[in-house]
PDB file of all heavy atoms in Angstrom:
ATOM      1  N   GLU C1272      -8.207 -19.264  -7.203  1.00  0.00           N
ATOM      2  CA  GLU C1272      -8.085 -20.716  -7.315  1.00  0.00           C
ATOM      3  C   GLU C1272      -7.635 -21.213  -5.940  1.00  0.00           C
ATOM      4  O   GLU C1272      -6.625 -20.736  -5.403  1.00  0.00           O
ATOM      5  CB  GLU C1272      -7.025 -21.056  -8.384  1.00  0.00           C
ATOM      6  CG  GLU C1272      -6.860 -22.526  -8.655  1.00  0.00           C
ATOM      7  CD  GLU C1272      -8.041 -23.136  -9.414  1.00  0.00           C
ATOM      8  OE1 GLU C1272      -8.828 -22.368 -10.014  1.00  0.00           O
ATOM      9  OE2 GLU C1272      -8.165 -24.368  -9.408  1.00  0.00           O
ATOM     10  N   VAL C1273      -8.386 -22.124  -5.352  1.00  0.00           N
ATOM     11  CA  VAL C1273      -8.134 -22.519  -3.966  1.00  0.00           C
ATOM     12  C   VAL C1273      -7.720 -23.983  -3.862  1.00  0.00           C
ATOM     13  O   VAL C1273      -8.278 -24.848  -4.544  1.00  0.00           O
ATOM     14  CB  VAL C1273      -9.421 -22.315  -3.108  1.00  0.00           C
ATOM     15  CG1 VAL C1273      -9.126 -22.559  -1.629  1.00  0.00           C
ATOM     16  CG2 VAL C1273      -9.987 -20.910  -3.315  1.00  0.00           C
ATOM     17  N   ARG C1274      -6.734 -24.255  -3.025  1.00  0.00           N
ATOM     18  CA  ARG C1274      -6.378 -25.631  -2.678  1.00  0.00           C
ATOM     19  C   ARG C1274      -6.319 -25.744  -1.162  1.00  0.00           C
ATOM     20  O   ARG C1274      -5.794 -24.842  -0.503  1.00  0.00           O
ATOM     21  CB  ARG C1274      -5.008 -26.007  -3.228  1.00  0.00           C
ATOM     22  CG  ARG C1274      -4.927 -26.088  -4.728  1.00  0.00           C
ATOM     23  CD  ARG C1274      -5.636 -27.333  -5.272  1.00  0.00           C
ATOM     24  NE  ARG C1274      -5.473 -27.413  -6.715  1.00  0.00           N
ATOM     25  CZ  ARG C1274      -6.178 -26.711  -7.610  1.00  0.00           C
ATOM     26  NH1 ARG C1274      -7.127 -25.879  -7.194  1.00  0.00           N
ATOM     27  NH2 ARG C1274      -5.963 -26.822  -8.902  1.00  0.00           N
ATOM     28  N   GLU C1275      -6.837 -26.829  -0.649  1.00  0.00           N
ATOM     29  CA  GLU C1275      -6.693 -27.080   0.784  1.00  0.00           C
ATOM     30  C   GLU C1275      -5.782 -28.278   0.936  1.00  0.00           C
ATOM     31  O   GLU C1275      -5.982 -29.307   0.288  1.00  0.00           O
ATOM     32  CB  GLU C1275      -8.055 -27.367   1.410  1.00  0.00           C
ATOM     33  CG  GLU C1275      -8.928 -26.127   1.466  1.00  0.00           C
ATOM     34  CD  GLU C1275     -10.219 -26.374   2.225  1.00  0.00           C
ATOM     35  OE1 GLU C1275     -10.215 -26.210   3.456  1.00  0.00           O
ATOM     36  OE2 GLU C1275     -11.205 -26.744   1.573  1.00  0.00           O
ATOM     37  N   VAL C1276      -4.786 -28.157   1.772  1.00  0.00           N
ATOM     38  CA  VAL C1276      -3.802 -29.226   1.886  1.00  0.00           C
ATOM     39  C   VAL C1276      -3.274 -29.238   3.317  1.00  0.00           C
ATOM     40  O   VAL C1276      -3.354 -28.230   4.027  1.00  0.00           O
ATOM     41  CB  VAL C1276      -2.671 -29.003   0.845  1.00  0.00           C
ATOM     42  CG1 VAL C1276      -1.871 -27.756   1.139  1.00  0.00           C
ATOM     43  CG2 VAL C1276      -1.745 -30.208   0.757  1.00  0.00           C
ATOM     44  N   GLU C1277      -2.726 -30.381   3.712  1.00  0.00           N
ATOM     45  CA  GLU C1277      -2.118 -30.438   5.042  1.00  0.00           C
ATOM     46  C   GLU C1277      -0.837 -29.625   5.054  1.00  0.00           C
ATOM     47  O   GLU C1277      -0.151 -29.512   4.044  1.00  0.00           O
ATOM     48  CB  GLU C1277      -1.800 -31.905   5.395  1.00  0.00           C
ATOM     49  CG  GLU C1277      -3.032 -32.685   5.781  1.00  0.00           C
ATOM     50  CD  GLU C1277      -2.774 -34.173   5.681  1.00  0.00           C
ATOM     51  OE1 GLU C1277      -1.658 -34.599   6.060  1.00  0.00           O
ATOM     52  OE2 GLU C1277      -3.667 -34.886   5.199  1.00  0.00           O
ATOM     53  N   ASN C1278      -0.517 -29.129   6.220  1.00  0.00           N
ATOM     54  CA  ASN C1278       0.703 -28.337   6.404  1.00  0.00           C
ATOM     55  C   ASN C1278       1.890 -29.298   6.455  1.00  0.00           C
ATOM     56  O   ASN C1278       2.310 -29.753   7.527  1.00  0.00           O
ATOM     57  CB  ASN C1278       0.563 -27.540   7.709  1.00  0.00           C
ATOM     58  CG  ASN C1278       1.716 -26.580   7.929  1.00  0.00           C
ATOM     59  OD1 ASN C1278       2.843 -26.837   7.527  1.00  0.00           O
ATOM     60  ND2 ASN C1278       1.418 -25.478   8.594  1.00  0.00           N
ATOM     61  N   ASP C1279       2.390 -29.618   5.253  1.00  0.00           N
ATOM     62  CA  ASP C1279       3.441 -30.619   5.106  1.00  0.00           C
ATOM     63  C   ASP C1279       4.302 -30.182   3.926  1.00  0.00           C
ATOM     64  O   ASP C1279       3.775 -29.823   2.868  1.00  0.00           O
ATOM     65  CB  ASP C1279       2.768 -31.977   4.838  1.00  0.00           C
ATOM     66  CG  ASP C1279       3.761 -33.044   4.425  1.00  0.00           C
ATOM     67  OD1 ASP C1279       4.151 -33.092   3.236  1.00  0.00           O
ATOM     68  OD2 ASP C1279       4.165 -33.817   5.313  1.00  0.00           O
ATOM     69  N   VAL C1280       5.610 -30.194   4.132  1.00  0.00           N
ATOM     70  CA  VAL C1280       6.517 -29.622   3.130  1.00  0.00           C
ATOM     71  C   VAL C1280       6.293 -30.220   1.736  1.00  0.00           C
ATOM     72  O   VAL C1280       6.097 -29.488   0.760  1.00  0.00           O
ATOM     73  CB  VAL C1280       7.987 -29.815   3.564  1.00  0.00           C
ATOM     74  CG1 VAL C1280       8.929 -29.263   2.493  1.00  0.00           C
ATOM     75  CG2 VAL C1280       8.252 -29.116   4.897  1.00  0.00           C
ATOM     76  N   GLU C1281       6.323 -31.547   1.647  1.00  0.00           N
ATOM     77  CA  GLU C1281       6.242 -32.173   0.331  1.00  0.00           C
ATOM     78  C   GLU C1281       4.877 -31.947  -0.326  1.00  0.00           C
ATOM     79  O   GLU C1281       4.784 -31.695  -1.526  1.00  0.00           O
ATOM     80  CB  GLU C1281       6.569 -33.670   0.411  1.00  0.00           C
ATOM     81  CG  GLU C1281       8.024 -33.949   0.792  1.00  0.00           C
ATOM     82  CD  GLU C1281       9.050 -33.129  -0.026  1.00  0.00           C
ATOM     83  OE1 GLU C1281       8.916 -33.052  -1.267  1.00  0.00           O
ATOM     84  OE2 GLU C1281       9.973 -32.547   0.597  1.00  0.00           O
ATOM     85  N   LYS C1282       3.821 -32.021   0.488  1.00  0.00           N
ATOM     86  CA  LYS C1282       2.472 -31.820  -0.057  1.00  0.00           C
ATOM     87  C   LYS C1282       2.299 -30.382  -0.556  1.00  0.00           C
ATOM     88  O   LYS C1282       1.698 -30.139  -1.599  1.00  0.00           O
ATOM     89  CB  LYS C1282       1.414 -32.143   0.992  1.00  0.00           C
ATOM     90  CG  LYS C1282       1.258 -33.644   1.193  1.00  0.00           C
ATOM     91  CD  LYS C1282       0.227 -33.959   2.249  1.00  0.00           C
ATOM     92  CE  LYS C1282       0.147 -35.484   2.416  1.00  0.00           C
ATOM     93  NZ  LYS C1282      -0.541 -35.855   3.647  1.00  0.00           N
ATOM     94  N   LEU C1283       2.854 -29.457   0.212  1.00  0.00           N
ATOM     95  CA  LEU C1283       2.760 -28.049  -0.201  1.00  0.00           C
ATOM     96  C   LEU C1283       3.499 -27.817  -1.512  1.00  0.00           C
ATOM     97  O   LEU C1283       3.001 -27.149  -2.420  1.00  0.00           O
ATOM     98  CB  LEU C1283       3.359 -27.146   0.890  1.00  0.00           C
ATOM     99  CG  LEU C1283       2.468 -26.878   2.110  1.00  0.00           C
ATOM    100  CD1 LEU C1283       3.278 -26.245   3.236  1.00  0.00           C
ATOM    101  CD2 LEU C1283       1.321 -25.960   1.713  1.00  0.00           C
ATOM    102  N   LYS C1284       4.688 -28.393  -1.617  1.00  0.00           N
ATOM    103  CA  LYS C1284       5.478 -28.209  -2.846  1.00  0.00           C
ATOM    104  C   LYS C1284       4.735 -28.775  -4.059  1.00  0.00           C
ATOM    105  O   LYS C1284       4.711 -28.169  -5.129  1.00  0.00           O
ATOM    106  CB  LYS C1284       6.859 -28.863  -2.689  1.00  0.00           C
ATOM    107  CG  LYS C1284       7.804 -28.032  -1.832  1.00  0.00           C
ATOM    108  CD  LYS C1284       8.950 -28.819  -1.249  1.00  0.00           C
ATOM    109  CE  LYS C1284      10.012 -29.166  -2.268  1.00  0.00           C
ATOM    110  NZ  LYS C1284      11.187 -29.792  -1.585  1.00  0.00           N
ATOM    111  N   LYS C1285       4.111 -29.927  -3.839  1.00  0.00           N
ATOM    112  CA  LYS C1285       3.386 -30.575  -4.936  1.00  0.00           C
ATOM    113  C   LYS C1285       2.210 -29.693  -5.403  1.00  0.00           C
ATOM    114  O   LYS C1285       1.999 -29.498  -6.606  1.00  0.00           O
ATOM    115  CB  LYS C1285       2.855 -31.934  -4.445  1.00  0.00           C
ATOM    116  CG  LYS C1285       2.566 -32.901  -5.558  1.00  0.00           C
ATOM    117  CD  LYS C1285       2.205 -34.262  -4.994  1.00  0.00           C
ATOM    118  CE  LYS C1285       1.121 -34.874  -5.856  1.00  0.00           C
ATOM    119  NZ  LYS C1285       0.082 -35.563  -5.111  1.00  0.00           N
ATOM    120  N   VAL C1286       1.513 -29.134  -4.449  1.00  0.00           N
ATOM    121  CA  VAL C1286       0.363 -28.280  -4.801  1.00  0.00           C
ATOM    122  C   VAL C1286       0.823 -27.010  -5.518  1.00  0.00           C
ATOM    123  O   VAL C1286       0.199 -26.575  -6.490  1.00  0.00           O
ATOM    124  CB  VAL C1286      -0.466 -27.943  -3.532  1.00  0.00           C
ATOM    125  CG1 VAL C1286      -1.535 -26.903  -3.843  1.00  0.00           C
ATOM    126  CG2 VAL C1286      -1.097 -29.195  -2.971  1.00  0.00           C
ATOM    127  N   ILE C1287       1.924 -26.456  -5.034  1.00  0.00           N
ATOM    128  CA  ILE C1287       2.446 -25.238  -5.687  1.00  0.00           C
ATOM    129  C   ILE C1287       2.776 -25.541  -7.163  1.00  0.00           C
ATOM    130  O   ILE C1287       2.433 -24.778  -8.064  1.00  0.00           O
ATOM    131  CB  ILE C1287       3.681 -24.683  -4.940  1.00  0.00           C
ATOM    132  CG1 ILE C1287       3.289 -24.174  -3.540  1.00  0.00           C
ATOM    133  CG2 ILE C1287       4.333 -23.550  -5.743  1.00  0.00           C
ATOM    134  CD1 ILE C1287       4.456 -23.852  -2.619  1.00  0.00           C
ATOM    135  N   MET C1288       3.413 -26.702  -7.398  1.00  0.00           N
ATOM    136  CA  MET C1288       3.746 -27.121  -8.771  1.00  0.00           C
ATOM    137  C   MET C1288       2.478 -27.274  -9.621  1.00  0.00           C
ATOM    138  O   MET C1288       2.410 -26.782 -10.740  1.00  0.00           O
ATOM    139  CB  MET C1288       4.460 -28.482  -8.774  1.00  0.00           C
ATOM    140  CG  MET C1288       5.723 -28.519  -7.969  1.00  0.00           C
ATOM    141  SD  MET C1288       7.031 -27.512  -8.696  1.00  0.00           S
ATOM    142  CE  MET C1288       8.442 -28.375  -8.028  1.00  0.00           C
ATOM    143  N   GLU C1289       1.503 -27.929  -9.052  1.00  0.00           N
ATOM    144  CA  GLU C1289       0.242 -28.164  -9.785  1.00  0.00           C
ATOM    145  C   GLU C1289      -0.428 -26.851 -10.177  1.00  0.00           C
ATOM    146  O   GLU C1289      -0.978 -26.723 -11.262  1.00  0.00           O
ATOM    147  CB  GLU C1289      -0.748 -28.948  -8.906  1.00  0.00           C
ATOM    148  CG  GLU C1289      -0.499 -30.436  -8.889  1.00  0.00           C
ATOM    149  CD  GLU C1289      -1.370 -31.121  -7.836  1.00  0.00           C
ATOM    150  OE1 GLU C1289      -2.361 -30.494  -7.357  1.00  0.00           O
ATOM    151  OE2 GLU C1289      -1.048 -32.267  -7.490  1.00  0.00           O
ATOM    152  N   LEU C1290      -0.342 -25.890  -9.245  1.00  0.00           N
ATOM    153  CA  LEU C1290      -1.026 -24.617  -9.483  1.00  0.00           C
ATOM    154  C   LEU C1290      -0.400 -23.820 -10.617  1.00  0.00           C
ATOM    155  O   LEU C1290      -1.018 -22.894 -11.139  1.00  0.00           O
ATOM    156  CB  LEU C1290      -1.051 -23.782  -8.190  1.00  0.00           C
ATOM    157  CG  LEU C1290      -2.095 -24.212  -7.157  1.00  0.00           C
ATOM    158  CD1 LEU C1290      -1.888 -23.469  -5.841  1.00  0.00           C
ATOM    159  CD2 LEU C1290      -3.512 -23.969  -7.683  1.00  0.00           C
TER     160      LEU C1290
END
Side-chain angles (χ1 to χ4, degrees):
Chain C
E1272 183 72 17
V1273 187
R1274 293 287 183 281
E1275 290 186 88
V1276 66
E1277 284 162 39
N1278 186 328
D1279 170 279
V1280 178
E1281 293 312 314
K1282 285 179 181 164
L1283 281 167
K1284 283 159 74 173
K1285 202 173 143 221
V1286 172
I1287 294 169
M1288 302 292 206
E1289 279 171 16
L1290 282 171

